[in-house]
């Protein structure tokens, strides 16, 4: 991954801090109008200055809870748990030539469910980003089974890890099929596959280290599947560097976790900071948003 934000994007990163803090606390009624009045005002401004903005490129987000923004409530609805203001697709689209036409990502989405999200997507779409594979790999089962005793040689953690390993072995070809289908369905789109961050800072808990190892194994399968498509329009963006040092247990975590409510739906997902400075920043660092 090519690193180092351009100065313009560095400045925009500072703006996104205000977005993270401000938009989440701003009532919908107070947000800028996007109706006919606002459009007319923008048009009048463009005429008066003789400048017109470049045409926006259609952007669609697909996949699971990490793209939906489950770790950054409030949500648009309770079913898919899409963040109303600070999912990474929303933040990324604010600072690019891409216009987010749809975020179809949904909590709990599998590879098969992500394929179904393609129905009705415009063939003129220019960018697709997605996260998927965690559910198929048994991540939830590992987290639940190993929570009380993270010893990989003790039950039920041992069985959950064995099952996850078996699912991972079958996951690669499924992901290759999905990425290939997306590229074929949207022939004008760059298909950007995002992987998963390590959820815990190293050494915080034995469970955290075990979950991080599972994330590493899943990311290796995702990277292999992207390479196996052999399609230049299908690319991997690795987010692990952006999240390094910001897992659960860090002084400034990018992962949501409420120890007073371990069943909170936002837990173990990127929070608003993780969406902005983890996922969206990774897209910027890899120059996806400037293409």
């Amino acid at each position: 991954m090519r690193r180092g934000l351009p100065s313009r994007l560095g400045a925009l990163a500072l703006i996104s801090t205000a977005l993270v803090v401000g938009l989440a606390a701003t009532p919908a009624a107070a947000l800028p109008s996007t109706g006919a009045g606002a459009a007319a005002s923008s048009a009048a401004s463009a005429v008066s200055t003789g400048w017109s903005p470049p045409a926006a490129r259609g952007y669609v987000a697909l996949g699971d809870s990490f793209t939906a923004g489950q770790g950054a409530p409030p949500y648009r609805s309770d079913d898919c748990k899409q963040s109303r203001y600070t999912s990474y697709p929303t933040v990324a689209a604010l600072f690019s030539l891409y216009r987010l036409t749809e975020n179809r990502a949904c909590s709990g989405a599998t590879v098969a469910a992500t394929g179904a999200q393609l129905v009705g997507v415009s063939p003129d779409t220019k960018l697709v980003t997605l996260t998927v594979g965690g559910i198929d790999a048994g991540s939830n089962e590992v987290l639940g089974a190993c929570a009380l005793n993270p010893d990989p040689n003790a039950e039920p953690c041992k069985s959950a890890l064995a099952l996850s390993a078996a699912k991972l072995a079958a996951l690669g070809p499924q992901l290759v099929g999905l990425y290939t289908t997306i590229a074929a369905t949207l022939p004008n789109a760059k298909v950007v596959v995002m992987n998963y961050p390590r959820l815990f800072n190293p050494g915080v808990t034995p469970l955290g280290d075990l979950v991080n190892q599972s994330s590493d194994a899943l990311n290796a399968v995702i990277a292999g599947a992207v390479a196996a498509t052999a399609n230049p329009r299908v690319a991997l963006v690795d987010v692990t560097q952006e999240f390094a040092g910001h897992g659960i247990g860090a002084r400034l975590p990018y992962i949501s976790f409420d120890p007073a409510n371990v069943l909170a739906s936002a837990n173990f997902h990127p929070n608003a900071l993780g969406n902005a400075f983890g996922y969206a920043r990774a897209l910027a660092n890899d120059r996806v948003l400037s293409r």
Side-chain angles (χ1 to χ4, degrees):
M1 177 184 291
R2 187 171 182 176
R3 293 299 177 220
L5 276 173
S7 59
R8 181 176 66 86
L9 288 174
L12 291 175
L14 296 178
I15 299 173
S16 70
T17 303
L19 171 76
V20 168
V21 175
L23 273 187
T26 302
L31 295 177
S33 170
T34 57
S41 176
S42 297
S45 176
V47 170
S48 66
T49 61
W51 177 86
S52 59
R57 308 166 185 171
Y59 166 27
V60 173
L62 306 173
D64 60 20
S65 54
F66 278 64
T67 294
Q70 184 169 331
Y75 306 128
R76 296 183 182 278
S77 64
D78 287 334
D79 52 354
C80 283
K81 292 184 170 55
Q82 287 188 4
S83 175
R84 183 173 294 276
Y85 304 119
T86 51
S87 66
Y88 81 76
T90 298
V91 175
L94 286 174
F95 303 136
S96 75
L97 294 178
Y98 293 97
R99 178 175 62 88
L100 182 63
T101 53
E102 287 186 279
N103 186 348
R104 294 194 168 196
C106 192
S107 176
T110 60
V111 170
T114 300
Q117 292 169 4
L118 277 170
V119 176
V121 173
S122 170
D124 293 329
T125 297
K126 296 298 189 291
L127 173 66
V128 173
T129 65
L130 71 151
T131 54
V132 72
I135 299 296
D136 302 84
S139 59
N140 287 350
E141 288 87 345
V142 170
L143 194 60
C146 301
L148 294 180
N149 184 1
D151 182 352
N153 296 311
E155 296 293 353
C157 187
K158 180 179 180 180
S159 294
L161 289 170
L163 179 60
S164 178
K167 289 183 175 182
L168 274 176
L171 180 59
Q174 297 175 45
L175 291 175
V176 173
L178 175 65
Y179 304 156
T180 301
T181 297
I182 295 173
T185 304
L186 304 174
N188 299 309
K190 180 76 173 179
V191 181
V192 177
V193 178
M194 315 285 284
N195 62 8
Y196 295 91
R198 288 184 163 191
L199 297 182
F200 294 81
N201 259 22
V204 171
T205 66
L207 173 61
D209 291 341
L210 194 60
V211 170
N212 287 346
Q213 291 172 21
S214 296
S215 296
D216 291 345
L218 173 57
N219 284 347
V221 171
I222 291 172
V226 170
T229 63
N231 187 329
R233 289 194 295 112
V234 179
L236 174 70
V237 168
D238 181 359
V239 304
T240 55
Q241 181 172 324
E242 282 77 12
F243 279 88
H246 296 285
I248 295 170
R251 295 183 65 180
L252 184 64
Y254 286 0
I255 305 296
S256 178
F257 180 69
D258 181 1
N261 181 9
V262 296
L263 298 180
S265 60
N267 284 352
F268 308 114
H269 293 83
N271 55 25
L273 290 173
N275 280 288
F277 296 110
Y279 274 97
R281 187 175 184 181
L283 287 170
N285 282 343
D286 273 23
R287 301 185 183 277
V288 171
L289 303 178
S290 60
R291 296 172 187 169

